[in-house]
Amino acid sequence: MANQNSLPLFESAKWTPAEAKTYPERLFQWVSESELPPVDLFVTTADPELEPPIITVNTVLSLLALDYPANKLACYVSDDGCSPLTFYALVEASKFAKLWVPFCKKYNVQVRAPFRRFSDKDTVNSEHSSPEFKQEWSKMKDEYEQLSRKIDDATRKSVPSELEEEFAIFSNTKRTDHPTIIKVVWENKENDSDGLPHLIYISREKRPKHPHHYKSGAMNALTRVSGLMTNAPFILNVDCDMFVNNPKIVLHGLCILLDCKGRKEVAFIQCPQKFYDGLKDYPFGNQMVVFFTNVSGGMAGIQGPLYGGTNCFHRRKVIYGLSPDGMKHGKLSDKELVQKFGSSMEFVESASQALEEKIYYPNSNAFKYLEAVSQVAGCGYESGTTWGGLDIWLNGRGCAHRANIPYKRLEIRTCYTRSNSLYGLCTSRFANFNDPTKEMGRRDASNLNLQTFPNSWHPLRKAQIQAMPCVYVDLARGLRPVPEICYAFLPAYCIITNSNFLPKDIGLWIAATLLPHMHSDRVPYNWAVNQNMVEQPKND
């Protein structure tokens, strides 16, 4: 990704950059706290060695401590590695969260991932000077160090013997061969807005003869499971190595999703991936600075950026195939619902409610439906349905790695914001040349998806002329080696044949390639929930 800035095909996407600016303080001028919609939080992890459980724990803790009513949040952790260590880490983290979350909210702590909070020695003196805060800060630090030691001991040894009965379900399981495992780590039974959100561990069923489709398959399972358990109308998905840098991120997202214009136009909100503690000149280019700062921002000024796989707010009804403005081809019959969403009547009912923009609660205690939840997380649930095909997370019809969303009928607008609300880990996972090469290979294979091109929703079939070159480069990056190799051999061919493949007036070609960026820094719309009720600020 380091050489993207030199690609002429990206230049047209940089001419009219735009970003969304939000004003969360205005949100409560229109809706009360009790009227805020529920939000489901998705965290995906796949390998406890490449993605240590302590990193996943910090991601989860930063989400549990969001400035949002706890009874409106549910955090789902998908473990594709089927690791008892990951589950154990979440159990211990839920105990620590009972202390950590109240501490963060009491003192309005900005960074709520403990490993970042306690890494800065000056933090205790820079924010609060009261003896009470310093005492509680020291206590939290000791508790976190104890949590880290427990997870580290379990990593080096094994899960403590007193918990073996609870972990019996993990016995005789393999990473690619195991039944569905769903554990409710913490349930907010009292529906307390100041308590802890639901925390659910999920390891979807895997069998050797069934393709699991990597992250896109995990997102499919999370969508179905959450649809049965909480069915929130909005979803925020992050990778396990991200952490929340701004506890009000959900409020920022809702400023766009609940806005009178956003309700009709915005399908999802894409935040850029930003990385902490990275090298200034990262040798492997995996931080993708050019793509997330220039290209995505430029695409936002045309039709909106493509989905990057993480740091994204979604509308559940759009994932199910409904446009943001509510337009669809009539109401689906019961037979069509079963064909689309599978044989689980509970899930069909919840999907029907989501399409009608209603919040569906199967029961006051949704976690009684764990049997039905296990069914929809099965590896064969999608067989004979259109799930994973036309309207849901692109899965069985060609996507091998990233969770590409085919609701890029690009007349549906997507939003881009350069907020510093989420940060991720880069250098530890990609500290050599092989790891980023494999990662980019998987991305290229999933983005290529030649099987999906004939479908009407394919991005290249809906992209505007200005956006098409950028969309092509992003989706067809896997084909680039063919023309690049041919181009590399052209000079040798010209020398041997004493010919020239460049035009005589080479100056025009160079000028077109080096066309300066026409950065206008324009913000097409300031998202403030309701223009009729809230005055918009003037652009600078």
Side-chain angles (χ1 to χ4, degrees):
M1 300 297 287
N3 65 341
Q4 282 186 346
N5 199 29
S6 62
L7 288 174
L9 290 176
F10 274 111
E11 299 304 309
S12 64
K14 303 176 184 178
W15 294 346
T16 54
E19 62 177 295
K21 289 188 177 180
T22 53
Y23 303 90
E25 64 277 4
R26 300 177 177 179
L27 191 63
F28 294 103
Q29 297 179 23
W30 188 59
V31 295
S32 64
E33 181 175 312
S34 61
E35 295 174 328
L36 289 173
V39 178
D40 287 337
L41 312 171
F42 291 176
V43 180
T44 51
T45 182
D47 192 327
E49 295 181 1
L50 290 177
E51 302 162 342
I54 191 63
I55 297 296
T56 303
V57 160
N58 275 274
T59 300
V60 171
L61 287 172
S62 69
L63 291 171
L64 295 179
L66 288 173
D67 280 341
Y68 202 77
N71 58 337
K72 300 291 183 72
L73 294 176
C75 183
Y76 296 85
V77 180
S78 171
D79 177 22
D80 264 5
C82 191
S83 170
L85 179 61
T86 301
F87 174 62
Y88 170 74
L90 291 176
V91 171
E92 294 300 322
S94 67
K95 300 175 183 177
F96 173 72
K98 297 174 184 178
L99 302 174
W100 175 247
V101 172
F103 169 78
C104 291
K105 294 184 177 181
K106 178 179 179 180
Y107 294 103
N108 194 26
V109 175
Q110 180 70 14
V111 179
R112 299 184 179 181
F115 83 113
R116 294 294 292 175
R117 174 68 186 179
F118 299 127
S119 65
D120 188 354
K121 296 181 180 180
D122 296 329
T123 301
V124 65
N125 296 320
S126 61
E127 293 187 3
H128 299 274
S129 58
S130 66
E132 180 186 4
F133 170 78
K134 291 182 178 181
Q135 182 179 1
E136 291 196 37
W137 186 89
S138 298
K139 178 183 177 181
M140 288 298 104
K141 186 175 182 180
D142 292 340
E143 291 288 344
Y144 176 69
E145 290 175 350
Q146 183 178 357
L147 170 65
S148 299
R149 284 195 298 269
K150 287 183 179 180
I151 296 175
D152 184 57
D153 290 342
T155 302
R156 289 185 290 103
K157 301 174 183 178
S158 61
V159 174
S161 58
E162 61 268 18
L163 299 176
E164 287 183 357
E165 183 177 351
E166 187 175 358
F167 288 80
I169 192 171
F170 290 95
S171 62
N172 300 321
T173 59
K174 298 180 180 179
R175 182 174 177 178
T176 58
D177 188 7
H178 61 83
T180 298
I181 300 176
I182 297 178
K183 294 280 190 177
V184 180
V185 180
W186 174 258
E187 179 182 359
N188 188 350
K189 296 181 180 179
E190 292 78 20
N191 199 32
D192 184 7
S193 61
D194 295 323
L196 292 182
H198 300 312
L199 178 59
I200 302 100
Y201 170 90
I202 302 170
S203 184
R204 59 192 171 109
E205 181 186 16
K206 286 186 179 179
R207 298 302 177 193
K209 295 183 179 180
H210 286 81
H212 56 86
H213 305 295
Y214 300 94
K215 184 177 179 179
S216 59
M219 295 297 290
N220 269 306
L222 282 172
T223 303
R224 294 193 294 268
V225 168
S226 64
L228 268 176
M229 301 181 84
T230 50
N231 205 40
F234 302 110
I235 295 170
L236 168 63
N237 88 281
V238 299
D239 286 340
C240 66
D241 52 5
M242 310 297 296
F243 71 89
V244 177
N245 192 56
N246 183 349
K248 297 185 183 296
I249 183 175
V250 174
L251 298 177
H252 282 278
L254 291 180
C255 284
I256 300 175
L257 294 169
L258 297 182
D259 185 88
C260 58
K261 183 178 181 181
R263 289 175 183 269
K264 299 177 181 179
E265 296 184 4
V266 177
F268 65 87
I269 308 168
Q270 179 70 60
C271 299
Q273 293 188 41
K274 295 187 177 183
F275 304 95
Y276 59 86
D277 290 349
L279 300 176
K280 182 178 180 180
D281 297 316
Y282 189 57
F284 306 119
N286 204 66
Q287 296 183 26
M288 299 176 284
V289 175
V290 172
F291 182 82
F292 287 117
T293 57
N294 295 340
V295 177
S296 292
M299 286 290 288
I302 308 173
Q303 290 174 285
L306 300 179
Y307 173 50
T310 185
N311 298 1
C312 195
F313 284 94
H314 311 271
R315 295 185 189 274
R316 184 180 291 272
K317 67 174 184 177
V318 175
I319 295 176
Y320 288 174
L322 190 67
S323 299
D325 59 2
M327 298 298 293
K328 62 178 181 177
H329 300 291
K331 186 175 181 179
L332 297 177
S333 64
D334 292 342
K335 183 178 180 180
E336 290 173 325
L337 286 170
V338 172
Q339 175 63 27
K340 187 180 183 68
F341 298 107
S343 58
S344 171
M345 292 297 103
E346 294 89 349
F347 179 62
V348 168
E349 184 180 356
S350 74
S352 177
Q353 295 287 337
L355 290 173
E356 295 176 9
E357 303 183 67
K358 297 179 181 178
I359 300 176
Y360 167 70
Y361 295 101
N363 190 282
S364 57
N365 182 1
F367 301 107
K368 290 182 178 180
Y369 287 86
L370 291 181
E371 183 176 349
V373 171
S374 298
Q375 178 189 356
V376 299
C379 59
Y381 183 79
E382 299 168 7
S383 300
T385 72
T386 57
W387 186 278
L390 297 179
D391 297 312
I392 320 300
W393 308 87
L394 190 55
N395 183 345
R397 306 289 176 90
C399 184
H401 176 60
R402 310 301 291 177
N404 293 335
I405 302 181
Y407 54 69
K408 304 182 190 103
R409 298 167 248 159
L410 285 182
E411 69 271 15
I412 297 178
R413 185 171 178 77
T414 60
C415 255
Y416 170 81
T417 174
R418 293 188 182 183
S419 67
N420 297 324
S421 299
L422 291 157
Y423 277 90
L425 175 65
C426 182
T427 54
S428 68
R429 287 187 62 191
F430 305 107
N432 55 57
F433 183 74
N434 290 332
D435 289 340
T437 301
K438 293 178 181 178
E439 176 76 5
M440 294 309 299
R442 286 194 292 266
R443 291 182 182 181
D444 291 347
S446 64
N447 284 341
L448 188 54
N449 270 332
L450 292 180
Q451 296 178 9
T452 66
F453 183 76
N455 293 305
S456 61
W457 45 257
H458 195 279
L460 280 176
R461 298 173 66 90
K462 291 293 185 181
Q464 296 178 7
I465 294 178
Q466 185 181 348
M468 189 172 292
C470 180
V471 175
Y472 163 76
V473 172
D474 187 56
L475 296 182
R477 192 166 50 231
L479 296 177
R480 278 172 47 194
V482 176
E484 286 176 350
I485 291 174
C486 295
Y487 184 79
F489 279 103
L490 273 177
Y493 172 81
C494 293
I495 293 174
I496 295 173
T497 61
N498 193 24
S499 60
N500 189 358
F501 69 95
L502 296 174
K504 294 182 180 180
D505 193 0
I506 190 62
L508 293 177
W509 287 75
I510 296 177
T513 302
L514 302 179
L515 188 67
H517 300 171
M518 295 187 290
H519 287 285
S520 62
D521 293 327
R522 68 181 179 89
V523 181
Y525 186 82
N526 288 319
W527 303 92
V529 182
N530 192 320
Q531 281 193 297
N532 296 326
M533 302 179 67
V534 182
E535 182 182 356
Q536 299 293 318
K538 296 180 180 179
N539 292 335
D540 296 332

